[in-house]
Amino acid sequence: MNAVTAPLGVLVVDDEAPARERLRDLLGDIAAQQPTRIVGMAANGHEALRLIEAQPVDLMLVDIRMPGMDGIELAQHVARLAAPPRIVFVTAYDQYAVDAFELNAIDYLLKPVRAQRLEAAIAKVRASMPVARDSLDRIAEPRRHFSVSERGRIALIPVTDVLFLKAELKYVTARTVEREYLLDESLVQLEQEFPERFVRIHRNCLIARAAVAGFERDEAAEHWLVRICGFDEKLPVSRRQWPAVRAALLGNEPGSGVK
């Protein structure tokens, strides 16, 4: 069997069992034209990531609207893998049918999925078009998790657990109360993605608004320090950033939280 007709390993991801079963049946219906084999059925994004770690996956058929981790966020995490599977989105909500889904890398199927349309999508996948990570970032809502590759596995860190983000050489360190994680992302991109959650206090540091316990003056260094909830380390605020930090975190109450 040549590479064109070799079965693709497919992971079906949908929070509704009937939808998963329909896709499984449709794949069987078009097997003569587009051979596939089901390698897993997942009810949510977290379960899908565990299955991807356990076995090779060529193609993911992913619902967009799912609780806990939606399909777009799942695709963002998958795109960071060394050899990411191809992704075809499947959803009942046609408002997601925007120009970004017309990119060669990603197809978009509207429920109820028709066999002919699914066959065409798999044909596009066989052209070995890579997932475009930048297009996912443009159309996605802010992520709920950061993804980190550790010992060949994907570790998910809830964004709400991160106290601050600090640029370290070509990586960004995400600090939680328990430990540090290395993110292969830029501080600028993270600042743009999470403007409501993180505030820049220094050229190499963003701090979570919710993590700020207050400020105190470092008279020796002649700058302000941020006190962090549940964390002993205090972070310096650059002179350049202090007016913006003060406005963002203290508003019109100059004395609030400052000693």
Side-chain angles (χ1 to χ4, degrees), residues 71-101:
I72 298 294
E73 182 176 354
L74 170 61
Q76 287 179 309
H77 296 310
V78 168
R80 291 175 169 82
L81 295 173
R86 309 303 183 238
I87 293 177
V88 171
F89 289 117
V90 184
T91 184
Y93 299 93
D94 60 3
Q95 69 264 33
Y96 290 105
V98 294
D99 290 343
F101 287 107

Side-chain angles (χ1 to χ4, degrees), residues 24 54 88 94 97 118-119 126-127 236 239 241:
R24 179 197 60 199
V88 171
D94 60 3
L118 179 59
E119 181 183 340
R126 286 191 185 279
R239 294 187 185 92
Q241 291 297 134

Side-chain angles (χ1 to χ4, degrees), residues 8-206:
L8 295 178
V10 179
L11 173 60
V12 177
V13 189
D14 197 302
D15 61 317
E16 297 181 353
R20 296 194 299 271
E21 293 163 3
R22 174 172 173 77
L23 285 172
R24 179 197 60 199
D25 293 343
L26 286 174
L27 289 170
D29 292 342
I30 63 173
Q33 296 77 31
Q34 294 293 342
T36 57
R37 56 185 179 85
I38 300 291
V39 298
M41 306 269 275
N44 54 63
H46 294 278
E47 188 177 327
L49 289 174
R50 288 195 295 270
L51 289 170
I52 291 171
E53 291 172 352
Q55 60 194 317
V57 176
D58 299 310
L59 166 63
M60 297 173 62
L61 300 177
V62 181
D63 187 22
I64 292 181
R65 285 274 186 92
M66 294 185 293
M69 180 190 294
D70 65 22
I72 298 294
E73 182 176 354
L74 170 61
Q76 287 179 309
H77 296 310
V78 168
R80 291 175 169 82
L81 295 173
R86 309 303 183 238
I87 293 177
V88 171
F89 289 117
V90 184
T91 184
Y93 299 93
D94 60 3
Q95 69 264 33
Y96 290 105
V98 294
D99 290 343
F101 287 107
E102 296 303 319
L103 294 174
N104 288 338
I106 305 172
D107 207 346
Y108 177 95
L109 303 178
L110 200 61
K111 296 179 181 179
V113 178
R114 305 301 180 189
Q116 185 177 9
R117 185 67 185 87
L118 179 59
E119 181 183 340
I122 296 176
K124 290 181 68 174
V125 170
R126 286 191 185 279
S128 194
M129 301 167 182
V131 172
R133 173 176 163 181
D134 59 344
S135 70
L136 294 170
D137 291 341
R138 287 198 304 272
I139 62 177
E141 297 179 357
R143 287 169 284 170
R144 298 180 185 180
H145 303 82
F146 294 121
S147 56
V148 179
S149 178
E150 293 188 333
R151 297 181 293 278
R153 297 174 60 87
I154 300 174
L156 295 178
I157 304 96
V159 174
T160 52
D161 286 357
V162 175
L163 303 174
F164 60 86
L165 298 157
K166 186 180 290 187
E168 306 278 357
L169 298 176
K170 65 177 182 177
Y171 296 98
V172 169
T173 298
R175 178 72 209 204
T176 68
V177 172
E178 293 80 16
R179 55 166 289 193
E180 294 181 343
Y181 299 89
L182 288 182
L183 307 181
D184 186 14
E185 305 188 51
S186 78
L187 206 62
V188 171
Q189 184 270 327
L190 293 170
E191 182 180 24
Q192 293 172 347
E193 185 177 356
F194 300 97
E196 301 302 318
R197 181 165 295 277
F198 295 100
V199 174
R200 182 177 291 273
I201 61 171
H202 196 278
R203 64 182 177 82
N204 69 344
C205 188
L206 306 176

